[in-house]
Amino acid sequence: MPTSADIPPKTRSRRRWLRRLLIASGCVVALAVAAGGWAIYQNDFDYRQEHVTITGSTQPLEGTLTLPKQGNGPYGLVLFIHGDGVANADRDGFYRPMWETFAKAGYASIGWNKPGIGGAPGNWLDQSLRDRALEAEAVMDWARARTDIDPHRIGLWGISQGGWVIPQVAVDRPDQVQFIIPVGAAINWERQGEYNLRAEMKAKNASDAELRAALQRREDSLVLLREDAPYERYRSTTTDSDPMSPDRWRFVERNFRADVSPLLPRLNVPVLLELGAEDRNVDVRETERVYKQLVKPELLTVHMYPDASHNIVKADLDHNQDSLKTVLTYIFAPRSLYVPGYLDDIRDWVSKLPPR
């Protein structure tokens, strides 16, 4: 048997590198397995789910009903009302930590694909905000007929544009809604749009001239909307680099006069207003001020989270959604996307509410 002295130096060197390569490869595989296992563990939420088809609305809705793991109910229920834009039932997984939070408080949760999304019939851009409220009320009617849902404990969580929808439902169904939770909710559509534009331009370090030009383009579009101008006129005159589609124009035309102020004094259910101090979409200081002015004080609880975005996500993550840090957090620690305290706060608040 040859000794190390009999092996040429180059051969010994190759063998050492081979051993190191094998060890390194083994470490990589072990880390990958461990990371995969951790990701599976972190995305194993403490609830059970079923796909449901909800009838009673303009068209059938395809939804996900999330239930506590323990017991057979009846459970409370939280309807999740999406914000603007394309959205499937769980908003690409974003709702899952909140669904788990509500499940721990004894509440089921339900979200559904917007019309036209994920194979659902219809087109969400054909809806007015009033249509969206009626859609939510149809989901309530469907849920109230189930034996595993407590009809006296049905509330609504609504983010962004959903903040115009859920007060309407609470006013329409004062004896059936237990609570509402507006998140990143605006007061007035036009003021919200200007605030968002200014905040986004500031984040891009736009010059004063660029900001003025953007504000003028926005005002030009608003003038046409106020005149009920046809899409063709908008399209022939706009200088937007990314103009609205015909469907989007009609959606904005239906909804741009939205203002929640008249509804707020009419609310007779508990309201948990959740706001992020670093919100670039909504002027949360205006929202807080108007809610405090118009909602009955004994019904209102307000949380303003420092360093939180529009979604009550850590601002450094939400404002850099394509960053490696954000992607890794989403995969390996999805509950950590939210700012500290948010999930606990909604769980504690809803757990203390009496049935309707």
Side-chain angles (χ1 to χ4, degrees), residues 215-275:
L215 289 170
Q216 186 59 57
R217 288 193 297 271
R218 179 179 178 277
E219 182 59 29
D220 292 343
S221 295
L222 284 171
V223 167
L224 296 177
L225 287 165
R226 293 170 190 142
E227 294 175 354
D228 295 322
Y231 176 76
E232 291 74 18
R233 184 176 166 198
Y234 158 75
R235 194 65 184 85
S236 65
T237 59
T238 184
T239 57
D240 287 341
S241 58
D242 184 21
M244 286 184 267
S245 68
D247 282 351
R248 181 67 188 182
W249 173 262
R250 285 187 284 272
F251 177 79
V252 174
E253 192 174 35
R254 291 184 189 96
N255 296 304
F256 80 99
R257 294 182 176 87
D259 191 309
V260 78
S261 301
L263 292 172
L264 298 183
R266 300 170 61 191
L267 291 173
N268 287 303
V269 303
V271 179
L272 176 62
L273 179 63
E274 302 286 79
L275 303 172

Short mmCIF file of all heavy atoms in Angstrom, two decimals, residues 215-275:
data_model
loop_
_atom_site.label_atom_id
_atom_site.label_comp_id
_atom_site.label_asym_id
_atom_site.label_seq_id
_atom_site.Cartn_x
_atom_site.Cartn_y
_atom_site.Cartn_z
N LEU A 215 -48.52 66.07 -11.62
CA LEU A 215 -49.76 66.58 -11.04
C LEU A 215 -50.67 67.16 -12.12
O LEU A 215 -51.90 67.02 -12.05
CB LEU A 215 -49.45 67.65 -9.99
CG LEU A 215 -48.82 67.14 -8.68
CD1 LEU A 215 -48.33 68.30 -7.83
CD2 LEU A 215 -49.83 66.29 -7.89
N GLN A 216 -50.09 67.81 -13.13
CA GLN A 216 -50.89 68.38 -14.21
C GLN A 216 -51.54 67.26 -15.03
O GLN A 216 -52.72 67.36 -15.41
CB GLN A 216 -50.04 69.27 -15.11
CG GLN A 216 -50.85 70.00 -16.18
CD GLN A 216 -51.91 70.89 -15.56
OE1 GLN A 216 -51.62 71.77 -14.75
NE2 GLN A 216 -53.18 70.66 -15.92
N ARG A 217 -50.79 66.19 -15.31
CA ARG A 217 -51.38 65.06 -16.05
C ARG A 217 -52.55 64.47 -15.27
O ARG A 217 -53.59 64.13 -15.85
CB ARG A 217 -50.32 64.00 -16.31
CG ARG A 217 -49.27 64.38 -17.35
CD ARG A 217 -48.45 63.19 -17.80
NE ARG A 217 -47.66 62.61 -16.70
CZ ARG A 217 -46.43 62.99 -16.36
NH1 ARG A 217 -45.85 63.98 -17.04
NH2 ARG A 217 -45.78 62.40 -15.38
N ARG A 218 -52.37 64.36 -13.97
CA ARG A 218 -53.45 63.83 -13.13
C ARG A 218 -54.67 64.74 -13.17
O ARG A 218 -55.80 64.28 -13.31
CB ARG A 218 -52.94 63.67 -11.70
CG ARG A 218 -53.97 63.15 -10.74
CD ARG A 218 -53.41 62.98 -9.33
NE ARG A 218 -54.45 62.54 -8.45
CZ ARG A 218 -55.34 63.34 -7.86
NH1 ARG A 218 -55.27 64.64 -8.10
NH2 ARG A 218 -56.29 62.86 -7.09
N GLU A 219 -54.45 66.04 -13.06
CA GLU A 219 -55.57 66.99 -13.09
C GLU A 219 -56.27 66.97 -14.44
O GLU A 219 -57.52 67.06 -14.50
CB GLU A 219 -55.07 68.39 -12.76
CG GLU A 219 -56.16 69.46 -12.72
CD GLU A 219 -57.24 69.17 -11.69
OE1 GLU A 219 -56.94 68.51 -10.66
OE2 GLU A 219 -58.39 69.60 -11.92
N ASP A 220 -55.52 66.82 -15.51
CA ASP A 220 -56.14 66.74 -16.84
C ASP A 220 -57.09 65.55 -16.92
O ASP A 220 -58.19 65.65 -17.48
CB ASP A 220 -55.06 66.62 -17.92
CG ASP A 220 -54.23 67.89 -18.07
OD1 ASP A 220 -54.68 68.95 -17.59
OD2 ASP A 220 -53.13 67.80 -18.66
N SER A 221 -56.68 64.42 -16.35
CA SER A 221 -57.54 63.23 -16.35
C SER A 221 -58.77 63.45 -15.49
O SER A 221 -59.89 63.04 -15.86
CB SER A 221 -56.76 62.01 -15.85
OG SER A 221 -55.70 61.69 -16.72
N LEU A 222 -58.60 64.10 -14.34
CA LEU A 222 -59.74 64.36 -13.46
C LEU A 222 -60.77 65.28 -14.12
O LEU A 222 -61.98 65.09 -13.95
CB LEU A 222 -59.26 64.96 -12.14
CG LEU A 222 -58.62 63.99 -11.15
CD1 LEU A 222 -58.00 64.75 -9.98
CD2 LEU A 222 -59.64 62.97 -10.64
N VAL A 223 -60.28 66.24 -14.86
CA VAL A 223 -61.21 67.14 -15.57
C VAL A 223 -62.09 66.33 -16.52
O VAL A 223 -63.32 66.52 -16.58
CB VAL A 223 -60.43 68.23 -16.33
CG1 VAL A 223 -61.35 68.97 -17.30
CG2 VAL A 223 -59.81 69.22 -15.35
N LEU A 224 -61.48 65.42 -17.24
CA LEU A 224 -62.25 64.58 -18.16
C LEU A 224 -63.23 63.69 -17.42
O LEU A 224 -64.37 63.50 -17.86
CB LEU A 224 -61.30 63.73 -19.01
CG LEU A 224 -60.36 64.50 -19.95
CD1 LEU A 224 -59.43 63.54 -20.67
CD2 LEU A 224 -61.17 65.32 -20.96
N LEU A 225 -62.81 63.14 -16.29
CA LEU A 225 -63.70 62.29 -15.50
C LEU A 225 -64.90 63.09 -14.99
O LEU A 225 -66.04 62.61 -15.01
CB LEU A 225 -62.94 61.67 -14.32
CG LEU A 225 -61.94 60.57 -14.68
CD1 LEU A 225 -60.99 60.30 -13.51
CD2 LEU A 225 -62.67 59.28 -15.06
N ARG A 226 -64.64 64.29 -14.52
CA ARG A 226 -65.74 65.13 -14.01
C ARG A 226 -66.71 65.52 -15.12
O ARG A 226 -67.88 65.78 -14.87
CB ARG A 226 -65.16 66.38 -13.35
CG ARG A 226 -64.37 66.10 -12.07
CD ARG A 226 -63.63 67.32 -11.60
NE ARG A 226 -62.70 67.02 -10.52
CZ ARG A 226 -61.49 67.58 -10.38
NH1 ARG A 226 -61.08 68.48 -11.27
NH2 ARG A 226 -60.70 67.25 -9.38
N GLU A 227 -66.22 65.55 -16.34
CA GLU A 227 -67.07 65.89 -17.49
C GLU A 227 -67.72 64.66 -18.10
O GLU A 227 -68.42 64.78 -19.11
CB GLU A 227 -66.23 66.60 -18.56
CG GLU A 227 -65.71 67.97 -18.13
CD GLU A 227 -64.79 68.58 -19.17
OE1 GLU A 227 -64.46 67.90 -20.17
OE2 GLU A 227 -64.39 69.75 -19.00
N ASP A 228 -67.50 63.49 -17.49
CA ASP A 228 -68.01 62.23 -18.05
C ASP A 228 -67.54 62.03 -19.48
O ASP A 228 -68.30 61.53 -20.35
CB ASP A 228 -69.54 62.18 -17.99
CG ASP A 228 -70.06 62.16 -16.56
OD1 ASP A 228 -69.41 61.50 -15.71
OD2 ASP A 228 -71.09 62.81 -16.27
N ALA A 229 -66.32 62.40 -19.76
CA ALA A 229 -65.79 62.28 -21.11
C ALA A 229 -65.60 60.80 -21.48
O ALA A 229 -65.28 59.97 -20.62
CB ALA A 229 -64.45 63.01 -21.20
N PRO A 230 -65.78 60.44 -22.74
CA PRO A 230 -65.56 59.06 -23.17
C PRO A 230 -64.07 58.71 -23.13
O PRO A 230 -63.20 59.59 -23.17
CB PRO A 230 -66.10 59.02 -24.59
CG PRO A 230 -65.99 60.43 -25.07
CD PRO A 230 -66.23 61.30 -23.86
N TYR A 231 -63.81 57.43 -23.09
CA TYR A 231 -62.42 56.97 -23.03
C TYR A 231 -61.62 57.47 -24.22
O TYR A 231 -60.44 57.81 -24.07
CB TYR A 231 -62.39 55.43 -22.98
CG TYR A 231 -60.99 54.87 -23.01
CD1 TYR A 231 -60.18 54.92 -21.89
CD2 TYR A 231 -60.48 54.31 -24.18
CE1 TYR A 231 -58.88 54.42 -21.91
CE2 TYR A 231 -59.18 53.79 -24.21
CZ TYR A 231 -58.39 53.85 -23.06
OH TYR A 231 -57.10 53.36 -23.09
N GLU A 232 -62.24 57.50 -25.38
CA GLU A 232 -61.51 57.89 -26.58
C GLU A 232 -60.94 59.30 -26.45
O GLU A 232 -59.83 59.59 -26.94
CB GLU A 232 -62.45 57.81 -27.80
CG GLU A 232 -62.85 56.39 -28.19
CD GLU A 232 -63.87 55.79 -27.23
OE1 GLU A 232 -64.53 56.58 -26.48
OE2 GLU A 232 -64.01 54.55 -27.22
N ARG A 233 -61.69 60.17 -25.78
CA ARG A 233 -61.19 61.54 -25.59
C ARG A 233 -59.99 61.53 -24.64
O ARG A 233 -58.99 62.23 -24.87
CB ARG A 233 -62.30 62.42 -25.04
CG ARG A 233 -61.89 63.89 -24.89
CD ARG A 233 -63.06 64.73 -24.45
NE ARG A 233 -62.63 66.05 -23.99
CZ ARG A 233 -63.38 66.84 -23.23
NH1 ARG A 233 -64.60 66.45 -22.86
NH2 ARG A 233 -62.93 68.01 -22.85
N TYR A 234 -60.09 60.75 -23.57
CA TYR A 234 -58.95 60.63 -22.65
C TYR A 234 -57.73 60.10 -23.40
O TYR A 234 -56.62 60.65 -23.29
CB TYR A 234 -59.31 59.69 -21.50
CG TYR A 234 -58.11 59.08 -20.81
CD1 TYR A 234 -57.32 59.83 -19.94
CD2 TYR A 234 -57.77 57.75 -21.04
CE1 TYR A 234 -56.21 59.26 -19.32
CE2 TYR A 234 -56.66 57.18 -20.43
CZ TYR A 234 -55.88 57.93 -19.57
OH TYR A 234 -54.78 57.38 -18.97
N ARG A 235 -57.94 59.04 -24.19
CA ARG A 235 -56.80 58.39 -24.85
C ARG A 235 -56.14 59.30 -25.88
O ARG A 235 -54.92 59.25 -26.08
CB ARG A 235 -57.28 57.09 -25.52
CG ARG A 235 -56.16 56.17 -25.94
CD ARG A 235 -55.41 55.64 -24.73
NE ARG A 235 -54.28 54.82 -25.15
CZ ARG A 235 -53.08 55.29 -25.45
NH1 ARG A 235 -52.84 56.60 -25.41
NH2 ARG A 235 -52.10 54.48 -25.80
N SER A 236 -56.94 60.15 -26.50
CA SER A 236 -56.38 61.02 -27.56
C SER A 236 -55.67 62.24 -26.98
O SER A 236 -54.90 62.89 -27.70
CB SER A 236 -57.49 61.46 -28.51
OG SER A 236 -58.42 62.30 -27.83
N THR A 237 -55.90 62.53 -25.71
CA THR A 237 -55.31 63.74 -25.13
C THR A 237 -54.27 63.47 -24.05
O THR A 237 -53.46 64.35 -23.75
CB THR A 237 -56.40 64.63 -24.52
OG1 THR A 237 -57.10 63.89 -23.50
CG2 THR A 237 -57.39 65.09 -25.58
N THR A 238 -54.28 62.26 -23.48
CA THR A 238 -53.38 62.01 -22.36
C THR A 238 -51.93 61.94 -22.83
O THR A 238 -51.63 61.49 -23.94
CB THR A 238 -53.74 60.71 -21.63
OG1 THR A 238 -52.88 60.57 -20.49
CG2 THR A 238 -53.54 59.48 -22.53
N THR A 239 -51.05 62.39 -21.96
CA THR A 239 -49.61 62.26 -22.20
C THR A 239 -49.00 61.27 -21.21
O THR A 239 -47.77 61.20 -21.08
CB THR A 239 -48.93 63.63 -22.06
OG1 THR A 239 -49.20 64.17 -20.76
CG2 THR A 239 -49.43 64.58 -23.13
N ASP A 240 -49.84 60.50 -20.51
CA ASP A 240 -49.33 59.48 -19.59
C ASP A 240 -48.50 58.46 -20.36
O ASP A 240 -48.91 57.99 -21.43
CB ASP A 240 -50.48 58.75 -18.89
CG ASP A 240 -51.16 59.62 -17.84
OD1 ASP A 240 -50.54 60.60 -17.41
OD2 ASP A 240 -52.30 59.30 -17.46
N SER A 241 -47.36 58.09 -19.78
CA SER A 241 -46.53 57.08 -20.44
C SER A 241 -47.16 55.69 -20.34
O SER A 241 -46.88 54.82 -21.16
CB SER A 241 -45.14 57.05 -19.79
OG SER A 241 -45.24 56.77 -18.40
N ASP A 242 -48.03 55.50 -19.34
CA ASP A 242 -48.72 54.22 -19.17
C ASP A 242 -50.22 54.52 -19.00
O ASP A 242 -50.74 54.49 -17.89
CB ASP A 242 -48.17 53.48 -17.94
CG ASP A 242 -48.78 52.10 -17.77
OD1 ASP A 242 -49.30 51.56 -18.76
OD2 ASP A 242 -48.74 51.58 -16.64
N PRO A 243 -50.91 54.80 -20.10
CA PRO A 243 -52.32 55.22 -19.99
C PRO A 243 -53.22 54.11 -19.48
O PRO A 243 -52.92 52.92 -19.61
CB PRO A 243 -52.67 55.61 -21.43
CG PRO A 243 -51.73 54.85 -22.28
CD PRO A 243 -50.45 54.75 -21.50
N MET A 244 -54.34 54.52 -18.90
CA MET A 244 -55.33 53.56 -18.43
C MET A 244 -55.93 52.79 -19.60
O MET A 244 -56.10 53.34 -20.69
CB MET A 244 -56.44 54.28 -17.67
CG MET A 244 -56.06 54.75 -16.29
SD MET A 244 -57.48 55.50 -15.41
CE MET A 244 -57.25 57.24 -15.85
N SER A 245 -56.28 51.54 -19.35
CA SER A 245 -57.01 50.75 -20.33
C SER A 245 -58.46 51.21 -20.34
O SER A 245 -58.92 51.90 -19.42
CB SER A 245 -56.95 49.26 -19.97
OG SER A 245 -57.70 49.04 -18.77
N PRO A 246 -59.24 50.83 -21.36
CA PRO A 246 -60.67 51.20 -21.35
C PRO A 246 -61.40 50.71 -20.09
O PRO A 246 -62.20 51.45 -19.51
CB PRO A 246 -61.21 50.53 -22.62
CG PRO A 246 -60.03 50.43 -23.53
CD PRO A 246 -58.86 50.18 -22.63
N ASP A 247 -61.12 49.47 -19.67
CA ASP A 247 -61.77 48.93 -18.48
C ASP A 247 -61.38 49.72 -17.23
O ASP A 247 -62.22 50.01 -16.37
CB ASP A 247 -61.42 47.46 -18.29
CG ASP A 247 -62.19 46.55 -19.22
OD1 ASP A 247 -63.13 47.04 -19.90
OD2 ASP A 247 -61.86 45.35 -19.27
N ARG A 248 -60.10 50.07 -17.14
CA ARG A 248 -59.64 50.81 -15.97
C ARG A 248 -60.26 52.21 -15.95
O ARG A 248 -60.65 52.70 -14.88
CB ARG A 248 -58.11 50.90 -15.96
CG ARG A 248 -57.53 51.64 -14.76
CD ARG A 248 -57.76 50.89 -13.47
NE ARG A 248 -57.38 51.67 -12.29
CZ ARG A 248 -57.45 51.23 -11.05
NH1 ARG A 248 -57.86 50.00 -10.80
NH2 ARG A 248 -57.10 52.00 -10.04
N TRP A 249 -60.35 52.83 -17.10
CA TRP A 249 -60.96 54.16 -17.17
C TRP A 249 -62.40 54.11 -16.66
O TRP A 249 -62.82 54.93 -15.86
CB TRP A 249 -60.92 54.67 -18.61
CG TRP A 249 -61.67 55.95 -18.82
CD1 TRP A 249 -62.95 56.10 -19.31
CD2 TRP A 249 -61.21 57.28 -18.53
NE1 TRP A 249 -63.30 57.43 -19.35
CE2 TRP A 249 -62.25 58.17 -18.88
CE3 TRP A 249 -60.01 57.79 -18.03
CZ2 TRP A 249 -62.13 59.56 -18.74
CZ3 TRP A 249 -59.90 59.17 -17.89
CH2 TRP A 249 -60.94 60.03 -18.23
N ARG A 250 -63.15 53.11 -17.10
CA ARG A 250 -64.54 53.01 -16.67
C ARG A 250 -64.64 52.69 -15.18
O ARG A 250 -65.56 53.16 -14.50
CB ARG A 250 -65.27 51.96 -17.52
CG ARG A 250 -65.57 52.47 -18.94
CD ARG A 250 -66.43 51.50 -19.71
NE ARG A 250 -65.68 50.35 -20.19
CZ ARG A 250 -65.03 50.31 -21.34
NH1 ARG A 250 -65.03 51.37 -22.14
NH2 ARG A 250 -64.38 49.24 -21.71
N PHE A 251 -63.70 51.89 -14.66
CA PHE A 251 -63.69 51.60 -13.23
C PHE A 251 -63.46 52.88 -12.42
O PHE A 251 -64.17 53.15 -11.45
CB PHE A 251 -62.59 50.58 -12.93
CG PHE A 251 -62.43 50.25 -11.47
CD1 PHE A 251 -63.30 49.38 -10.84
CD2 PHE A 251 -61.41 50.83 -10.72
CE1 PHE A 251 -63.16 49.07 -9.49
CE2 PHE A 251 -61.26 50.54 -9.37
CZ PHE A 251 -62.13 49.66 -8.75
N VAL A 252 -62.48 53.66 -12.82
CA VAL A 252 -62.20 54.92 -12.12
C VAL A 252 -63.39 55.87 -12.26
O VAL A 252 -63.79 56.55 -11.29
CB VAL A 252 -60.92 55.56 -12.66
CG1 VAL A 252 -60.70 56.94 -12.05
CG2 VAL A 252 -59.71 54.67 -12.40
N GLU A 253 -64.00 55.89 -13.44
CA GLU A 253 -65.15 56.77 -13.68
C GLU A 253 -66.30 56.45 -12.72
O GLU A 253 -66.99 57.35 -12.23
CB GLU A 253 -65.60 56.59 -15.13
CG GLU A 253 -66.58 57.62 -15.62
CD GLU A 253 -66.85 57.45 -17.12
OE1 GLU A 253 -66.86 56.29 -17.59
OE2 GLU A 253 -67.04 58.47 -17.81
N ARG A 254 -66.48 55.16 -12.42
CA ARG A 254 -67.55 54.76 -11.50
C ARG A 254 -67.25 55.15 -10.06
O ARG A 254 -68.17 55.32 -9.26
CB ARG A 254 -67.74 53.24 -11.54
CG ARG A 254 -68.31 52.69 -12.82
CD ARG A 254 -68.55 51.19 -12.71
NE ARG A 254 -68.89 50.63 -14.00
CZ ARG A 254 -68.03 50.04 -14.82
NH1 ARG A 254 -66.77 49.92 -14.46
NH2 ARG A 254 -68.42 49.57 -15.98
N ASN A 255 -65.97 55.25 -9.70
CA ASN A 255 -65.61 55.26 -8.28
C ASN A 255 -64.84 56.48 -7.79
O ASN A 255 -64.64 56.62 -6.58
CB ASN A 255 -64.78 54.00 -7.97
CG ASN A 255 -65.58 52.73 -8.17
OD1 ASN A 255 -66.63 52.57 -7.57
ND2 ASN A 255 -65.09 51.84 -9.03
N PHE A 256 -64.42 57.38 -8.68
CA PHE A 256 -63.49 58.42 -8.25
C PHE A 256 -64.11 59.45 -7.32
O PHE A 256 -63.39 60.25 -6.71
CB PHE A 256 -62.84 59.11 -9.47
CG PHE A 256 -63.69 60.15 -10.13
CD1 PHE A 256 -63.51 61.51 -9.86
CD2 PHE A 256 -64.69 59.79 -11.03
CE1 PHE A 256 -64.28 62.48 -10.48
CE2 PHE A 256 -65.47 60.76 -11.66
CZ PHE A 256 -65.27 62.11 -11.37
N ARG A 257 -65.43 59.45 -7.19
CA ARG A 257 -66.08 60.39 -6.26
C ARG A 257 -66.23 59.81 -4.85
O ARG A 257 -66.87 60.41 -3.99
CB ARG A 257 -67.44 60.80 -6.80
CG ARG A 257 -67.38 61.62 -8.09
CD ARG A 257 -68.78 62.04 -8.54
NE ARG A 257 -68.73 62.90 -9.72
CZ ARG A 257 -68.70 62.46 -10.97
NH1 ARG A 257 -68.72 61.15 -11.21
NH2 ARG A 257 -68.66 63.30 -11.99
N ALA A 258 -65.64 58.66 -4.61
CA ALA A 258 -65.80 57.98 -3.32
C ALA A 258 -65.30 58.85 -2.17
O ALA A 258 -64.22 59.45 -2.25
CB ALA A 258 -65.06 56.65 -3.32
N ASP A 259 -66.08 58.88 -1.11
CA ASP A 259 -65.71 59.57 0.13
C ASP A 259 -66.45 58.88 1.27
O ASP A 259 -67.68 58.80 1.25
CB ASP A 259 -66.07 61.06 0.06
CG ASP A 259 -65.45 61.85 1.21
OD1 ASP A 259 -65.60 61.43 2.38
OD2 ASP A 259 -64.81 62.88 0.94
N VAL A 260 -65.72 58.39 2.23
CA VAL A 260 -66.32 57.60 3.31
C VAL A 260 -66.93 58.47 4.41
O VAL A 260 -67.67 57.96 5.27
CB VAL A 260 -65.27 56.64 3.90
CG1 VAL A 260 -64.32 57.37 4.83
CG2 VAL A 260 -65.92 55.46 4.61
N SER A 261 -66.67 59.76 4.38
CA SER A 261 -67.08 60.64 5.48
C SER A 261 -68.56 60.53 5.84
O SER A 261 -68.90 60.45 7.04
CB SER A 261 -66.71 62.09 5.16
OG SER A 261 -65.33 62.24 4.96
N PRO A 262 -69.48 60.53 4.88
CA PRO A 262 -70.90 60.47 5.26
C PRO A 262 -71.29 59.18 5.99
O PRO A 262 -72.28 59.16 6.73
CB PRO A 262 -71.63 60.59 3.92
CG PRO A 262 -70.66 61.25 3.00
CD PRO A 262 -69.33 60.73 3.42
N LEU A 263 -70.53 58.11 5.78
CA LEU A 263 -70.87 56.84 6.41
C LEU A 263 -70.40 56.74 7.85
O LEU A 263 -71.02 56.05 8.68
CB LEU A 263 -70.26 55.67 5.61
CG LEU A 263 -70.82 55.42 4.22
CD1 LEU A 263 -69.98 54.37 3.50
CD2 LEU A 263 -72.28 54.97 4.29
N LEU A 264 -69.30 57.42 8.18
CA LEU A 264 -68.67 57.21 9.48
C LEU A 264 -69.56 57.56 10.67
O LEU A 264 -69.59 56.80 11.65
CB LEU A 264 -67.34 57.98 9.53
CG LEU A 264 -66.28 57.54 8.51
CD1 LEU A 264 -64.99 58.34 8.72
CD2 LEU A 264 -66.00 56.05 8.59
N PRO A 265 -70.32 58.67 10.64
CA PRO A 265 -71.19 58.95 11.79
C PRO A 265 -72.31 57.93 11.95
O PRO A 265 -72.92 57.84 13.03
CB PRO A 265 -71.75 60.34 11.49
CG PRO A 265 -70.86 60.91 10.44
CD PRO A 265 -70.37 59.75 9.64
N ARG A 266 -72.59 57.16 10.91
CA ARG A 266 -73.71 56.20 10.93
C ARG A 266 -73.28 54.83 11.44
O ARG A 266 -74.13 53.94 11.60
CB ARG A 266 -74.31 56.08 9.53
CG ARG A 266 -74.85 57.40 8.98
CD ARG A 266 -75.21 57.29 7.51
NE ARG A 266 -76.26 56.29 7.29
CZ ARG A 266 -76.61 55.84 6.09
NH1 ARG A 266 -75.97 56.31 5.00
NH2 ARG A 266 -77.57 54.95 5.95
N LEU A 267 -72.00 54.66 11.69
CA LEU A 267 -71.52 53.36 12.17
C LEU A 267 -71.98 53.12 13.61
O LEU A 267 -71.88 53.99 14.46
CB LEU A 267 -69.99 53.30 12.10
CG LEU A 267 -69.37 53.26 10.70
CD1 LEU A 267 -67.86 53.39 10.79
CD2 LEU A 267 -69.76 51.97 9.97
N ASN A 268 -72.44 51.89 13.84
CA ASN A 268 -72.86 51.50 15.18
C ASN A 268 -72.23 50.18 15.59
O ASN A 268 -72.81 49.42 16.38
CB ASN A 268 -74.39 51.40 15.24
CG ASN A 268 -75.05 52.77 15.23
OD1 ASN A 268 -74.78 53.61 16.09
ND2 ASN A 268 -75.90 53.01 14.24
N VAL A 269 -71.06 49.90 15.06
CA VAL A 269 -70.31 48.69 15.40
C VAL A 269 -68.90 49.09 15.80
O VAL A 269 -68.41 50.16 15.42
CB VAL A 269 -70.26 47.71 14.21
CG1 VAL A 269 -71.67 47.36 13.74
CG2 VAL A 269 -69.44 48.27 13.05
N PRO A 270 -68.21 48.27 16.60
CA PRO A 270 -66.82 48.56 16.95
C PRO A 270 -65.93 48.65 15.70
O PRO A 270 -66.08 47.88 14.76
CB PRO A 270 -66.42 47.38 17.83
CG PRO A 270 -67.71 46.87 18.39
CD PRO A 270 -68.72 47.06 17.30
N VAL A 271 -65.01 49.61 15.74
CA VAL A 271 -64.11 49.87 14.61
C VAL A 271 -62.68 49.83 15.12
O VAL A 271 -62.32 50.55 16.06
CB VAL A 271 -64.38 51.25 13.99
CG1 VAL A 271 -63.41 51.52 12.84
CG2 VAL A 271 -65.82 51.36 13.51
N LEU A 272 -61.86 48.97 14.51
CA LEU A 272 -60.42 48.94 14.79
C LEU A 272 -59.71 49.49 13.56
O LEU A 272 -59.64 48.83 12.52
CB LEU A 272 -59.95 47.51 15.09
CG LEU A 272 -58.44 47.33 15.30
CD1 LEU A 272 -57.96 48.13 16.51
CD2 LEU A 272 -58.08 45.85 15.47
N LEU A 273 -59.19 50.70 13.67
CA LEU A 273 -58.52 51.37 12.55
C LEU A 273 -57.02 51.11 12.65
O LEU A 273 -56.37 51.52 13.61
CB LEU A 273 -58.82 52.86 12.58
CG LEU A 273 -58.19 53.73 11.49
CD1 LEU A 273 -58.68 53.32 10.11
CD2 LEU A 273 -58.48 55.21 11.75
N GLU A 274 -56.46 50.43 11.65
CA GLU A 274 -55.06 50.04 11.65
C GLU A 274 -54.30 50.83 10.58
O GLU A 274 -54.63 50.74 9.38
CB GLU A 274 -54.92 48.54 11.38
CG GLU A 274 -55.66 47.65 12.38
CD GLU A 274 -54.96 47.59 13.71
OE1 GLU A 274 -55.10 48.57 14.50
OE2 GLU A 274 -54.27 46.59 13.98
N LEU A 275 -53.29 51.60 11.00
CA LEU A 275 -52.59 52.51 10.10
C LEU A 275 -51.09 52.37 10.24
O LEU A 275 -50.58 52.12 11.35
CB LEU A 275 -52.99 53.96 10.40
CG LEU A 275 -54.48 54.29 10.32
CD1 LEU A 275 -54.74 55.69 10.84
CD2 LEU A 275 -54.99 54.15 8.88
#
